[in-house]
Structures are given as C-alpha cells and as structure tokens.
Amino acid sequence: MSALFAGTALAQSASAISAQRLSDITRELASDPYAGRAPGGPGEQKTIDFIVGQFKALGLKPAGDNGSWTQSVPLRRYQTKPGGDYAISVRGQITPLREQTDLRIETQQPVDQVVIKAAPLVFVGYGVSAPERNWDDFKGVDVRGKMLLVLINDPDFEAAADEPVAGKFGGRAATFYGRWVYKYEEAVRRGALGMLIVHETAGAAYGWSTVIAGNNETYDVVRTNPAAEKLKLQGWIQRDQAVELFRKAGLDFEAEKAHARSAAFRPVELKEASFSADYRNEFTTLESRNVVAALPGARRPDETILYAAHWDGFGVGAPDANGAVIRPGAVDDAVGVAGVIETARAFAAGPRPDRTILFAAWTAEERGLLGSEFYAQRNEPALAKMVANYTFDVLQTSGPSRDLVLVGAGQNELEPEVAVIAARYGRTITPDPKPERALFYRADHFSLAKRGVPVMLFMGLGGGADLVNGGRAAGDRWVEDYTARCYHQTCDRWEPTQNYQGAADDVNLAFEAGRALANSTRWPDWNPSSEFKPIRAKSAAARR
C-alpha cells in the first residue's frame, strides 16, 4: 500500500464525491503491486487489505462472515483440456468437430473425464419458457438425457414489425431470456444432458473470437450438488456447422429459425442425428473473498441499500507487443471500487441514515458474476428488505457529461428518482443506445436483480456520453477506443491524462439517490414490463 493510503482514510473533499479521490484510489489499485487483482492470485491479499483498510478508517462496521470484513467465496476453476474428440452423426455419416474452431465446450461438474455417446439432438428454438409472456418453447416435450440446440437472444430479436412475436420480449433490447446463462439454467431444469448455443454475431453481440477468448477456462462457485445444478456439457457451435447439420437432417436452418419466432413452435428432434464427445476436464478449487461493510441504520437497520463494484481483474497474462503482462483493470473496475469507497466516505461524513447502507467489493465478476452470486445465495432472505442496489462497473474517464447513459433504462422506479437528481445538475438520462449488447445482464447487479432487488447499473460502455468537451461524438470515441484497445487488456491503466470528474458526477447521482431512499419509507418497485416484477412480488409480505 502506498504512503498515501497507509492506515488512514483519504483526506476529506469539499464536495460530496471527489474526482481526485477516485483517481487516487484507481491509481493505487491498478498499480503493479496488485498484479491485476486476479481471484486467488498474488494481488488478492493486497487488494483485500487495501479495501478493508479504507472501510475501517471510515468507521464502518464489518458485515462479512462471523463479524469479519470478508465473506469467503469457494471457487472452482474448470479447464477443458485440448485433444478431445467431438462429432456429430447424421444417418450414419460422422462429421468430426474441431474444438475452438467449430465449437467451444465446457463442463462445470468436478469430473475428470466427460464421455457422451450418441446423444439425441433436439432443436428447442430459443429455449424460452416465459409464462408471463405466454411463451413456451418446450411444450411439455421430454428432453431428459438429450443434447439441445438453441438460438441465442430472444424470440423477437429478429422479428419484423408485422410478426405476432414482435414486442413480446425486448425486440432489439435483450431480456434475460436471451442470455446464454438463462438458457443453460432452463436446460438444467428440463433435465437435459447438455446444450449447444448456435453462435450468430448479431444475436450474441460479439464475434466468435470472444466466445473462445477464455481458452476453455471457466469458473463457478463450489456447489453442494453440481451434477444436479450444471449440465454435463455446455457451449457454443458455429452457425455454419449448425446449418450443415440441419441440412443433413433434412431441415432448413433458416426456416426452422423463422418457425421458432412463432408461439406455436414445438421442439424438433433431428432424426437419426446424435452428438458424441470424449474429453478431459481439469478442475481445481480455490478460495477468494468478497469485502462487505455496513453503516447501520439509525431507525430501520434491517432495511438496506447496497453500493457495490467488483475488485477482481484478469491478473497476469501473455505478454503484449511491449512485453507487458499485467492487466491492471483501472477502468474495469478499480474506478468502480473507488466509487464505492468514496460513497462510503460521503455517507460516513453525514448524519446517520435511517436505513442501513451496505458497501461491497465482489470477487470473480470477470469469471461469471460469482462473488455477487454467492453473496445473493447466502443472503437471499434478507434481500426481501433490500431497498435498492447501485452498481459501479466501468465508469468513463473522459470528463464531465451532460447526461447519464443508462444501461437497463425503463426497468424500475429507481430511474425517475435519479433523473430528478440529475436535472438539479442540468443533466439528463439517455437510454442505452445499444441494448442488444445485453449489458444489463452482464454485471454484478444482476445477481440481485434476478432475486427481485431493484437495481441500477452505472456503466460507461453502453454508449458514449454527451461530454461537455466534445459532445456525443467524443463520448463515442472514448467507448470505442477503450473497448477496442484496453478492455481486459494490459493498457487498461491509470493515466494522468484521465479525467475523473464525469465518474464523480455519476457516483454522486447514486449517492444522492440512495441517501434519499435511506431516509424514507419508500420501496421502489420494478416496472410492469420488467421480468423481475413478479419475482419481487413474491416477497412483498416482508415489506409491509
């Protein structure tokens, strides 16, 4: 830890949220001694010590395991080893498949070897069961023990305006039903053996290079019964391979895909077609930690508001063109952690709020939102009385802006409250211009959202902000440059040329919105169109 931070909280700032402090904390966490902050890596202990030290110095209370500042998060790392055999057989004609080229495979069960022999193949359309939208792709068909083929995104993603499905989901704006996480989970609930998602760049919002970027390495939390909670095999198959498979089975891929946009769709078994696999699956166990602190409420301490970000990054990797190996994760997400710490300082400096304020720094977000998921699982009963969650994940560092680009706009009643506060500062809310990227389902707040907690994600990757200096065009350039060059790469560094005022302004909106809720009796809800409203309704009795 640098001398600037040793043993004490940072100096008080004149305004509620300090851009200088955000910059200083980001600089510290993104420095080389933290080694890119990989879970279980050489920089984890230093990262935990720094965050805990800041919370302690602010006079917060520990809210982790057994009165400590941390929550242990047992993780498993899985690696599909190269050299496996994969094949599709149609009417006796066998087609070998190449790993990482034709398909990408993973298994999140702690087994050394995965063998699948001639499993029947069933096309299940978009793999969606959404009773509240009168949609069911399964129609009661038994898919136990079968390999499922599924389309990415929602049934209305490519629908024309005159198709009956248009508007049933989010259109170009993805819902949770469009995400691969949901599709795997639904396959587990149906008792399927495994699932292959057909990769199409538009629907996935990323190319094949992103699908295989993890080099067949995945993480999961340690589960009590992983065989019952995870598929034996899950992964992706290239679109061209799927098209050829359908052709050999006497089907037209595009025609079946179009049929999948109809509520009348039923699963299609590919006649005389099967999938086989034989590969090694390496797994190791490690323990990481969330950091959790609290400012107890003065009047209703069991009602909580949570501010959170993820502390983890990608650690050390292959050398870049300049020989650098550390991926510092300054913008993703050291600045988010800085936002949480700075919010904690702002709350600690003021009157004690009526409701409890929680502050968390999650582990293993980059491995699948695992730290936040573990916390949500272990604290599920208490989430009924969590008023709101504000998550900071990638705050822009290009200066003040006239607006807040909101990922997940239109989801819940937190948004208009933030809009009112933004208006006081002459700012507006701009809905995410590229909702098809499904960023709302790709950050830690989602672990809470899917359990009904109203959430708000502050993320600078949805679209360029309308910058005071340069306008929307300059904001778009920042997003495009960061995403293309530095996202998850060695150049995601703290730089003296970065301007943290825009990040501070956004964090201040979250602080003021949460402070107002903390001193009220209001319970913001999800909007009627949100898939999370029925989930929140199930715990309504706890909030009466």
Side-chain angles (χ1 to χ4, degrees), residues 174-458:
T175 71
F176 181 46
Y177 296 115
R179 296 287 294 144
W180 53 265
V181 176
Y182 165 78
K183 297 175 192 293
Y184 291 154
E185 290 176 352
E186 190 63 38
V188 170
R189 288 189 284 269
R190 302 280 168 170
L193 179 67
M195 173 176 277
L196 290 174
I197 300 171
V198 179
H199 177 262
E200 295 184 281
T201 298
Y206 41 74
W208 185 252
S209 61
T210 299
V211 172
I212 63 174
N215 197 30
N216 281 338
E217 177 188 77
T218 62
Y219 286 73
D220 192 22
V221 294
V222 174
R223 298 176 183 271
T224 304
N225 188 3
E229 299 178 66
K230 288 290 181 177
L231 296 169
K232 189 171 185 179
L233 178 153
Q234 61 191 38
W236 297 73
I237 185 169
Q238 283 270 33
R239 181 186 186 279
D240 289 348
Q241 290 294 333
V243 170
E244 183 64 10
L245 165 61
F246 276 58
R247 186 191 67 78
K248 289 179 178 178
L251 300 169
D252 180 88
F253 177 78
E254 286 299 329
E256 295 300 325
K257 183 178 174 183
H259 187 211
R261 296 200 295 270
S262 165
F265 172 83
R266 291 180 61 84
V268 178
E269 184 163 355
L270 279 66
K271 300 296 184 183
E272 299 182 68
S274 64
F275 176 84
S276 298
D278 187 344
Y279 59 94
R280 288 180 54 233
N281 179 49
E282 184 179 88
F283 61 94
T284 54
T285 303
L286 61 98
E287 185 174 287
S288 190
R289 285 162 292 172
N290 292 324
V291 183
V292 191
L295 182 65
R299 299 179 63 187
R300 294 183 297 283
D302 59 333
E303 299 174 8
T304 60
I305 295 167
L306 171 64
Y307 291 86
H310 70 90
W311 63 255
D312 70 302
F314 277 91
V316 176
D320 66 10
N322 298 315
V325 296
I326 295 175
R327 292 169 282 188
V331 175
D332 185 16
D333 187 31
V335 67
V337 175
V340 173
I341 294 171
E342 180 65 354
T343 302
R345 187 207 60 76
F347 270 107
R352 181 66 58 90
D354 292 344
R355 288 165 159 165
T356 293
I357 312 298
L358 296 173
F359 306 95
W362 309 125
T363 185
E365 185 274 348
E366 302 289 8
R367 271 66 177 181
L369 319 183
L370 298 182
S372 58
E373 175 65 19
F374 189 84
Y375 176 88
Q377 287 178 8
R378 296 306 186 274
N379 294 275
E380 194 146 6
L383 299 185
K385 287 197 168 185
M386 184 170 283
V387 182
N389 161 242
Y390 300 93
T391 288
F392 307 131
D393 193 349
V394 183
L395 301 173
Q396 60 92 359
T397 56
S398 52
S401 67
R402 300 179 182 91
D403 65 349
L404 169 70
V405 179
L406 183 59
V407 173
Q411 281 278 5
N412 59 51
E413 295 172 353
L414 297 178
E415 178 183 338
E417 296 186 4
V418 169
V420 169
I421 296 167
R424 296 178 195 152
Y425 294 94
R427 303 181 68 200
T428 59
I429 301 294
T430 299
D432 181 2
K434 297 181 180 178
E436 66 273 15
R437 291 179 177 176
L439 293 171
F440 186 75
Y441 305 94
R442 293 163 59 182
D444 283 310
H445 68 290
F446 181 62
S447 298
L448 302 160
K450 69 181 184 180
R451 291 171 173 85
V453 177
V455 299
M456 196 164 190
L457 172 62
F458 289 73

Side-chain angles (χ1 to χ4, degrees), residues 473-493:
D476 285 339
R477 283 195 299 272
W478 182 88
V479 173
E480 290 164 7
D481 179 69
Y482 174 76
T483 304
R485 291 194 312 109
C486 296
Y487 185 53
H488 296 170
Q489 304 301 317
T490 56
C491 71
D492 189 2
R493 298 183 294 267

